[in-house]
């Protein structure tokens, strides 16, 4: 008679299917593209919006995309923590080595206004740093993907930060008062401000912007995926004292930030302080 008792081997959990960050990145890419399609479809039919406690806008699409991403990512990484702009913070994330960090719609005002500068972004963070990330801008049909140690791409093609070595003539985006402080001689090339912070940083990763600045109070969900894009494209994103960002802290918020290609970064840091 055969013994139907499960063996010890059968009871042992299998290896993490997302142990390889490249696999996690593929799942993230699929998820943000699907989420972007949901957001676009809801915009076309009209979405309700209201203001949150901090006066920032939120729409039905933000919440729908949040639910979709959580369901989808939790299926493949159920033991991971979760941090999202549109989900009540769960302290249990602090005890997890790996955490999904998501912004269902970064640039909600741009989304509501029918502008192109909004995106869906998601990252997988391990021990405080992103190891895989994806960002999808549906209007311009751009999918950005980054893997720790594996580079960064836009629509499957490698991207690289600019090699601009000096401030004169540099294309920079950021808060106007800060740019005025840096650019007393009017030598910077300014662009229309990109409302999505994540997309602004992605433009640094592609070299379309030589540098970008961010005001204080950027959150983990605004930054994690874009942070990895910039670094894997050869650039820098740091605080004003030169420190890289650490994610999944008790308060997932950051101070003023500077991002640029590696050649321009030292000069920009001096000017920005």
């Amino acid at each position: 008679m055969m013994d139907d008792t499960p063996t010890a081997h059968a009871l042992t959990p299998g290896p993490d299917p997302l142990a390889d960050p490249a696999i996690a990145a593929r799942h993230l890419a699929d998820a943000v593209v699907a989420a972007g399609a949901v957001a676009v479809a809801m915009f076309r039919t009209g979405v309700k919006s209201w203001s949150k406690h901090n006066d920032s806008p939120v729409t039905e699409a933000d919440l729908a995309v949040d639910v979709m991403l959580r369901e989808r990512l939790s299926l493949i990484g159920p033991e991971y923590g979760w941090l999202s702009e549109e989900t009540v913070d769960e302290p249990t994330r602090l005890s997890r080595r790996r955490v999904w960090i998501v912004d269902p719609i970064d640039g909600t005002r741009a989304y509501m206004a029918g502008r192109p500068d909004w995106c869906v972004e998601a990252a997988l963070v391990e021990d405080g740093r992103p190891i895989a990330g994806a960002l999808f801008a549906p209007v311009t049909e751009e999918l950005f993907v980054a893997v720790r140690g594996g580079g960064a791409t836009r629509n499957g093609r490698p991207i690289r930060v600019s090699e601009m070595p000096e401030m004169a003539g540099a294309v920079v985006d950021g808060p106007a008062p800060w740019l005025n402080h840096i650019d007393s001689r009017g030598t910077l090339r300014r662009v229309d401000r990109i409302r999505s912070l994540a997309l602004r940083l992605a433009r640094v990763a592609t070299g379309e912007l030589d540098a970008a600045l961010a005001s204080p109070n950027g959150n983990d969900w605004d930054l994690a995926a874009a942070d990895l894009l910039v670094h894997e494209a050869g650039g820098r994103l740091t605080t004003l004292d030169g420190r890289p960002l650490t994610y999944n802290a008790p308060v997932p918020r950051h101070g003023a930030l500077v991002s640029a290609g590696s050649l321009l970064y030292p000069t920009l840091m001096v000017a920005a302080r």
Side-chain angles (χ1 to χ4, degrees), residues 45-216:
T45 59
V47 293
K48 293 180 181 178
S49 64
W50 57 95
S51 293
K52 294 188 282 188
H53 61 86
N54 59 358
D55 279 340
S56 62
V58 63
T59 71
E60 292 175 315
D62 291 88
L63 303 184
V65 169
D66 185 63
V67 170
M68 175 190 174
L69 288 173
R70 185 162 195 177
E71 289 178 349
R72 186 160 183 157
L73 296 176
S74 293
L75 283 175
I76 56 173
E79 301 303 317
Y80 298 171
W82 176 264
L83 178 62
S84 166
E85 180 175 14
E86 307 304 344
T87 305
V88 175
D89 195 5
E90 299 171 358
T92 53
R93 67 179 171 82
L94 299 173
S95 64
R96 309 293 172 85
R97 285 193 66 204
R98 285 189 164 191
V99 180
W100 299 115
I101 297 183
V102 167
D103 194 342
I105 297 179
D106 185 45
T108 299
R109 285 187 175 89
Y111 169 76
M112 293 167 58
R115 291 170 53 102
D117 49 338
W118 62 274
C119 65
V120 180
E121 59 177 316
L124 179 59
V125 164
E126 181 180 273
D127 297 331
R129 288 293 301 164
I131 61 171
L135 185 158
F136 182 53
V139 178
T140 52
E141 298 185 339
E142 294 172 281
L143 173 62
F144 301 86
V145 181
V147 179
R148 183 179 64 185
T153 62
R154 174 172 57 185
N155 294 344
R157 296 184 178 182
I159 55 177
R160 196 74 184 166
V161 295
S162 82
E163 297 183 357
M164 185 71 171
E166 57 188 28
M167 295 297 296
V171 181
V172 184
D173 187 12
W178 202 357
L179 292 180
N180 293 338
H181 167 72
I182 293 172
D183 192 26
S184 60
R185 297 184 179 180
T187 61
L188 295 179
R189 293 169 56 200
R190 305 191 191 191
V191 297
D192 290 340
R193 189 171 180 185
I194 300 170
R195 297 297 175 178
S196 161
L197 176 53
L199 198 53
R200 191 186 314 163
L201 294 171
R203 301 297 180 209
V204 174
T206 63
E208 292 165 274
L209 291 177
D210 297 307
L213 307 172
S215 301

Side-chain angles (χ1 to χ4, degrees), residues 252-267:
R253 194 175 300 119
H254 306 272
L257 304 173
V258 172
S259 180
S262 297
L263 295 181
L264 183 60
Y265 172 81
T267 304

